[in-house]
Amino acid sequence: MSLPVVGAPSPWAGELAGLLELSRMIRSGVRRHVASAIGEGSLAALAHHAAEGVGDVTFALDEPAERAVEAWMHARALRGPLSVLTEDTGWRHVGPAPSGGWQALGDFDHGGPRIAFDPIDGTRNLLGDLRSGWVVVSFCDPGPAAPHLSDVTGGLLVEIPPSLGGCCREIWASRGNGCQMQTSRIVDGSTAAATPGLPGPLRVDDSDRCDHGYFPFFRYAPAVRPAIARVEAAFFKLLEAELGADIRHCWDDQSCASADQLVHLMTGRYRMLCDLRPRVELPGNERPTPTKPYDVAGAMLCAAEAGVVLTDTHGAELDFELDCVTPVDWIGYANGPTAAKLAGPLSKAILAESPLRA
């Protein structure tokens, strides 16, 4: 399939087709594993903790996807150097060996791209066969050190729908050139066939409504719920008092996948998303399990190029090192007008809650 990429040639343009092929292969493999487990009545077995990776728990469902990225990395290294990050291992640097094959390299300063993968963002969604997970790819041009969010020049999201899902979406963006989306049909349980026509631009709506939509505060872990619920309650009280919102129609949703949340913002289903988890104080100075950079970097580029407004939970510009460990707190607004309306009440609600870390 031909993928239109507007703008000056870049490494991202030359890599996108291969990364899309890999992501589709991961999607097909994951769906086959889930379908097989459902047929055998063994869906729970996919939730077995296979390992503890650098970034997160590796479930049995994750392992084939991680192996697919590993095989792709070794094959791609035959053509030139690159750095690859996955949640299992962190950054690895590889390139062609003088005698043939591939070899490990010492650091980032090799002249090739830096690419981070989350092979399945939303494993927990798929373990229950509840809703979509996503392959998330974050692409950075060559550089001498670990990249930051501001270095991400290309993002790719490939949807892995649950077993009853008949369609899937593929979303990609390059910095400064907008966001594109294509919807495909699932034709045999695992592979997908593109719907007729070229991919089209994905752009947010212009509504600034502060009700009749989803305004989630993400809080799936029980330990963080009380503190975040206090902020949530304060926010909706301010929304009602200051903006006249009908808060009976401010709805909640808890998708355990940052990429899924960002897609809901891009498509207008979410009007706002607030992820405060890294700022919650827990007993014994314990840290909640947060969103990590590899979960969201490429998805955040796609969202920003589609017109979503993203900040940290202080209202400042987001920029973090692209690794497996940095906790990411963030707010997403469906568009600029929504951000202009909601940022003030949300900031007041967050500042009012002393249990939150600075």
Side-chain angles (χ1 to χ4, degrees), residues 8 10 16 19 37 39 64 92 136-137 164 178 263 279 300 307 311 336 340 342:
S10 73
L16 178 54
L19 291 168
R92 288 172 289 175
V136 181
V137 182
L164 295 180
V263 171
R279 295 186 57 188
M300 283 182 167
T311 72
L342 302 188

Side-chain angles (χ1 to χ4, degrees), residues 83-126:
S83 295
V84 171
L85 179 146
T86 65
E87 63 181 339
D88 263 12
T89 60
W91 283 107
R92 288 172 289 175
H93 318 284
V94 292
S99 57
W102 65 273
Q103 65 177 349
L105 302 176
D107 56 29
F108 291 95
D109 199 11
H110 48 59
R114 300 164 291 173
I115 309 173
F117 292 91
D118 191 349
I120 311 177
D121 181 45
T123 304
R124 293 166 180 84
N125 289 345
L126 294 168

Side-chain angles (χ1 to χ4, degrees), residues 234-235 238-239 242-243 340-350:
F235 169 72
L238 288 165
L239 216 58
E242 296 184 1
L243 299 178
K341 255 191 174 181
L342 302 188
L346 182 53
S347 177
K348 290 178 187 177
I350 291 171

